């Protein structure tokens, strides 16, 4: 059985994520890179990891097929950015809570945007009483120059 046949055999049924796939050095490196950068194209991943864009594209598609990554919003064309899926398979997604954007900013604008995000979260991080039904959430936002 080839690697591709084995991947087909372990693929999730439609609509159900299967998460055991990443046991491959390229896939693990891609997941680490996505966790670091947020979104990445196969060409960007290839440049960072030292692999071909075709190999990175293949493994990104396999990760997507298993519900681990997904295409990030983009403006069409041939560019296909990917991002990690942060949803919890035990809970149906009620609304889209992911924010992903490629921005053209000056250093001052990036500082201002970071300050605004901090200001938005401050009331939630400083409160002492929590509403009934409140659950712990994590917000990950990083403003850094793209590779």
């Amino acid at each position: 059985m080839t690697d591709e046949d084995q991947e087909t055999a372990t693929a999730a049924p439609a609509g159900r994520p299967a998460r055991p796939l990443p046991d491959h050095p390229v896939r693990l490196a891609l997941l680490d890179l996505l966790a670091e950068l947020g979104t990445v194209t196969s060409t960007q991943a290839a440049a960072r990891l030292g692999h071909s864009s075709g190999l990175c594209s293949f493994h990104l598609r396999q990760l997507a097929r298993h519900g681990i990554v997904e295409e990030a919003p983009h403006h069409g064309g041939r560019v296909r950015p990917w991002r990690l899926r942060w949803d919890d398979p035990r809970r149906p997604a009620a609304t889209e809570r992911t924010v992903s954007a490629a921005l053209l900013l000056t250093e001052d604008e990036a500082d201002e945007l970071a300050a605004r995000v901090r200001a938005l979260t401050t009331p939630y991080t400083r409160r002492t009483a929590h509403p009934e039904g409140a659950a712990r959430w994590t917000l990950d936002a990083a403003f850094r120059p793209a590779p």
Side-chain angles (χ1 to χ4, degrees):
M1 184 180 272
T2 68
D3 286 344
E4 194 166 348
D5 292 338
Q6 187 173 3
E7 288 162 3
T8 302
T10 61
R16 294 197 48 216
R19 307 248 173 178
L21 180 67
D23 190 21
H24 190 285
V26 174
R27 291 180 191 142
L28 293 173
L30 286 167
L31 293 174
D32 287 343
L33 188 62
L34 284 165
E36 177 188 342
L37 299 178
T39 61
V40 69
T41 66
S42 62
T43 301
Q44 292 167 331
R48 289 284 299 257
L49 301 176
H51 299 295
S52 72
S53 61
L55 180 69
C56 291
S57 178
F58 169 79
H59 286 293
L60 285 164
R61 288 191 314 270
Q62 293 303 313
L63 290 166
R65 206 165 112 214
H66 287 260
I68 300 166
V69 303
E70 64 187 359
E71 277 193 62
H74 56 93
H75 301 292
R78 297 185 66 206
V79 176
R80 290 177 72 183
W82 298 88
R83 66 182 178 191
L84 291 171
R85 288 191 61 186
W86 292 105
D87 59 330
D88 184 343
R90 298 167 294 181
R91 183 167 125 193
T95 60
E96 178 67 39
R97 294 184 177 109
T98 302
V99 177
S100 178
L103 307 170
L104 295 173
L105 303 172
T106 65
E107 290 284 332
D108 290 341
E109 290 171 324
D111 291 341
E112 177 188 350
L113 188 54
R116 287 176 146 187
V117 170
R118 277 192 295 278
L120 283 171
T121 61
T122 299
Y124 301 98
T125 59
R126 292 195 177 158
R127 64 183 177 190
T128 55
H130 301 287
E132 185 176 331
R136 184 171 300 279
W137 289 74
T138 301
L139 170 66
D140 296 310
F143 301 98
R144 60 183 157 259

